[in-house]
Amino acid sequence: AKTQKQETGQNMLYFGAKTINNLPLLFEIAHPLPGNNSGVQVLFRVPVLPLQPLLTESIHFILSRNE
């Protein structure tokens, strides 16, 4: 889902999924950050600690691709 915060004007993207062994993955991405138009913030709502570094790296890879 995508929405815009009234207070900050940030675009908020919300993602949810489950792994094949039924672990929940819920996180949100905020863009732009105050004072940084190219920055994003990833906030995990249901942290699955072993998957968090891999998921963060994957998000960074997807968002930084130039095509």
Side-chain angles (χ1 to χ4, degrees):
K2 178 184 175 186
T3 188
Q4 190 172 40
K5 273 191 175 179
Q6 298 274 338
E7 306 85 34
T8 62
Q10 288 178 308
N11 291 313
M12 303 299 295
L13 304 164
Y14 300 96
F15 298 91
K18 284 193 175 186
T19 63
I20 58 172
N21 54 346
N22 214 26
L23 296 173
L25 299 172
L26 295 172
F27 61 95
E28 65 183 33
I29 298 176
H31 171 76
L33 296 178
N36 183 355
N37 275 346
S38 63
V40 299
Q41 177 184 28
V42 179
L43 178 63
F44 289 88
R45 291 297 185 182
V46 178
V48 179
L49 295 180
L51 297 178
Q52 192 169 349
L54 178 62
L55 190 55
T56 302
E57 184 179 330
S58 299
I59 293 167
H60 177 73
F61 175 76
I62 291 167
L63 295 177
S64 64
R65 292 186 66 194
N66 291 325
E67 287 195 41

